[in-house]
Each structure stands twice: as structure tokens, then as C-alpha cells.
Amino acid sequence: MAHPELRILLEKLRSTYDSLLNFKPLVPSPPILDSSVAADPAEDGQWLQPENIPGLKKLREALKVDIDTLHKAGAARPSHSVACFLADPACARAPPVSIHAPYLLAVYDELLCAPAPVVAVFKFVQLDPAERRERGEKRAPTAKVDVVVANGRRWIRINTIKNAGLLAEFREMDSYLTDSESDSDDPERRPSLAPTEFDNSILQMGRALVDAARANPVDSVDGLQVPRVTMRLTRLDPAPLRADGAPNDPRIARTVQCLRDMGVEVELGERRECEIPVPRPHAPSAAPVCLVPTRQINLDLSVLVALVSDLTHAPPPASAEEATARFLPPQRYRDW
């Protein structure tokens, strides 16, 4: 069987996709219509979104893209299409197709292990929220956060780069340094591309996250709090020796230490299976409960307000539009 590792990934992707279709937080949330949730307008609507986690739809769509890339039944696509890669008998002679499965599965694992409440998935945070952009100007710089947890107080970012990828960056930097040294005696030499300080893509990601966290503090009981930034490096090994006993490039370990020095919490490797909780199954709708009125109530002020409140007597809104019209004050009222 060709590409067995991709077939295993395909099964994991399918299982994760099916789980996300009926995803519910591990901690059940009360049925509150919360207009403060920054819901994505493309989602089903903030009033009708049971999990109140913007970005889940994007994660599901990304998983579906990878599933279609690895295998898709049907004759609508030509047999040589990338979407039919594993279905094509000739795939045994082809190199493995590039997919984002390791990254997406790691994001889902963090979603399951995250401390509640989870605020968002795949959130882009501006590095300078106060900066206003005029129409037509370049998009303001942002930092991507894979999972925003603990009510916004912690940001988690996944990076799936391998040692080989980081070593390739080091070799590129070394080539710039070599070129710079060879041209040092040339009076007409061009400006050097050699970096002036130790840097790579992982450190750039970490700095962007730290800057965004400082620029976007969250409210807490102790006042404004800078979110904690966590980076999980799922496939990076900073150990002094590789698995074959050969020495590792010390700059890999230096990269991890630099992240920690800038205040980033670094977690290495993928989540172990024993760490990942089992998703809460979608409970079938229970039989309707027969409610019997009682005269034994405590008539305090809150109960009296509830007795005359529209929320107590009106039926629940049937749509997001009806909920918005009922519970959000009109513009003329807000202007007044």
C-alpha cells in the first residue's frame, strides 16, 4: 500500500472532522444569549452558536481541504487531480503530497486540552490596535493565535517546523555571512543581507506574539493583564544529540532558550494520548420536563423583576435577527 503514513493521517483527519461537527466544550455552558462574544459574521450567528467559539468553522474547513487533498471519491475530478491523490493507483510512484494535517491535528489537541473557557480559534490580533488604517492602505500587521484560552488570558500557537527546516534557515544565514566576509574589501559592495543578530522564523513568530499580547491586555479581577503566550513546537528537537547519536546544531537549543528569555512558554513535542481528554459526546435531546407551578417562592426584588420581565414570558427568539432586534437597543436609543 502506497504512502501508509498519509493513509493514517487521512483516518485521523476524518475522525477529527467528525468530532468537530458535533463539538461541545468539555465544561457545559449555560444557555445564555451573549452579545459580547466576538462571533464571526460568517458563522451561524452569535445567538445560535452553542459553543461560542469563533473560528471552529475555519478549522473544520481546513480539515476538509486536507481530507479532499488526500482522497476524494467521485468522478467529478480528473484522476490526476491532487484531490484524488490516494485514490489514484499511480500515487505509489509520486512523492507525498503536501498537507497541513500535523498542524491542524495539533490545534485540535490544544483545543481539547485548553483550560476553559476557550475564546477563539485561529484569531488574528493586531500588533497595534490603536493604529487606524485608511481605505486602500496596506493591511495592519497582525499575529496569529491558534487557540485563545482561559477567557483570553492565554494564547497558544503551534509551530510544526522540523530540525531540518530550521537548519535550512541557518545555512541560508551562514551563506549571507560568508558573502559578507568575502566582499568586505570591495569598496563598491552592496549592503549586506547578513543578519545583525541571531534570528529565525521561530523567533520572529515569538516576538510578534509577545508584542501583540502586550498591545492587547485583557480585563481580569486584578485589572488589565497581558496574556501569557505559549508556543508548542511539535516537531523540533533541541537535544544536544540526535536520535542517531550525531550532535545537534546548538543554535536549535539557543532558539528555544531565546523564546523563553522573551517570556514565551515553550512546550516541546506533540500532546501525548493520555493528556488528551475524550470529547464530550453529543447528548440526545432529553424528553421535555413537565414544570409544575408553585406558590412557595421567595419574593425578593430579583424575583419581582423577573415576574414582570419580557424574558420570563416571551418565547425564545426563532432567529438571530429576531434576537438582535429584541435584545440590542436600536441606534436611535444608543444615540440618545
Side-chain angles (χ1 to χ4, degrees):
M1 184 179 294
H3 303 294
E5 70 287 349
L6 289 182
R7 297 181 186 274
I8 294 174
L9 271 181
L10 177 60
E11 292 306 315
K12 289 183 178 179
L13 287 169
R14 284 173 172 165
S15 174
T16 302
Y17 180 79
D18 292 340
S19 298
L20 274 176
L21 288 176
N22 296 313
F23 177 81
K24 299 290 181 184
L26 295 178
V27 179
S29 57
I32 298 175
L33 299 177
D34 187 1
S35 63
S36 66
V37 176
D40 187 344
E43 298 274 356
D44 296 332
Q46 59 187 11
W47 305 107
L48 307 178
Q49 202 173 11
E51 66 272 10
N52 279 341
I53 304 179
L56 275 187
K57 183 178 180 181
K58 296 177 183 177
L59 179 57
R60 287 195 298 265
E61 290 174 347
L63 288 166
K64 188 67 167 60
V65 168
D66 269 11
I67 292 172
D68 290 345
T69 300
L70 288 174
H71 177 72
K72 185 174 180 67
R77 296 176 180 265
S79 60
H80 61 273
S81 170
V82 177
C84 300
F85 180 75
L86 290 180
D88 188 352
C91 74
R93 299 185 298 274
V97 69
S98 177
I99 55 175
H100 302 95
Y103 165 70
L104 298 175
L105 294 174
V107 171
Y108 179 66
D109 289 344
E110 291 300 322
L111 179 64
L112 293 179
C113 298
V118 178
V119 175
V121 178
F122 292 161
K123 183 179 180 65
F124 288 87
V125 187
Q126 286 192 357
L127 299 184
D128 186 4
E131 180 182 353
R132 292 193 172 184
R133 185 170 56 95
E134 299 294 335
R135 179 173 294 182
E137 287 187 1
K138 190 177 180 181
R139 184 178 179 181
T142 59
K144 182 182 180 182
V145 184
D146 289 321
V147 190
V148 182
V149 303
N151 209 23
R153 296 190 300 273
R154 185 182 175 198
W155 296 357
I156 301 175
R157 185 71 163 96
I158 305 296
N159 191 303
T160 58
I161 191 171
K162 295 182 179 180
N163 285 27
L166 203 54
L167 290 174
E169 294 185 26
F170 293 152
R171 285 193 294 269
E172 184 177 2
M173 288 189 293
D174 292 342
S175 67
Y176 291 148
L177 291 172
T178 303
D179 293 342
S180 176
E181 292 172 359
S182 61
D183 296 339
S184 58
D185 298 331
D186 186 358
E188 298 181 358
R189 65 187 179 93
R190 291 175 294 178
S192 173
L193 296 176
T196 57
E197 60 182 11
F198 180 68
D199 198 14
N200 53 57
S201 61
I202 295 180
L203 295 180
Q204 292 168 8
M205 178 184 290
R207 277 196 298 271
L209 288 168
V210 170
D211 292 343
R214 290 172 179 167
N216 295 270
V218 295
D219 287 323
S220 67
V221 292
D222 300 322
L224 291 178
Q225 177 181 346
V226 176
R228 292 163 46 204
V229 176
T230 300
M231 286 183 63
R232 177 169 287 277
L233 309 175
T234 58
R235 300 194 287 184
L236 198 69
D237 181 14
L241 298 177
R242 299 200 298 259
D244 58 1
N248 234 340
D249 192 313
R251 288 176 290 186
I252 297 178
R254 182 182 174 187
T255 297
V256 174
Q257 186 57 48
C258 286
L259 285 176
R260 289 173 173 152
D261 291 343
M262 66 176 70
V264 176
E265 298 178 5
V266 180
E267 297 179 353
L268 299 172
E270 297 178 343
R271 288 275 186 182
R272 292 176 296 176
E273 191 171 346
C274 61
E275 297 180 78
I276 303 173
V278 178
R280 189 161 59 93
H282 182 64
S285 56
V289 179
C290 182
L291 301 177
V292 180
T294 178
R295 295 180 180 273
Q296 299 177 0
I297 59 175
N298 182 18
L299 282 176
D300 59 7
L301 181 60
S302 60
V303 173
L304 291 175
V305 171
L307 288 175
V308 298
S309 172
D310 176 65
L311 290 174
T312 304
H313 304 284
S319 65
E321 292 76 14
E322 183 181 342
T324 301
R326 184 188 301 180
F327 299 115
L328 293 183
Q331 186 63 42
R332 62 179 183 276
Y333 178 84
R334 283 177 278 178
D335 294 340
W336 178 78

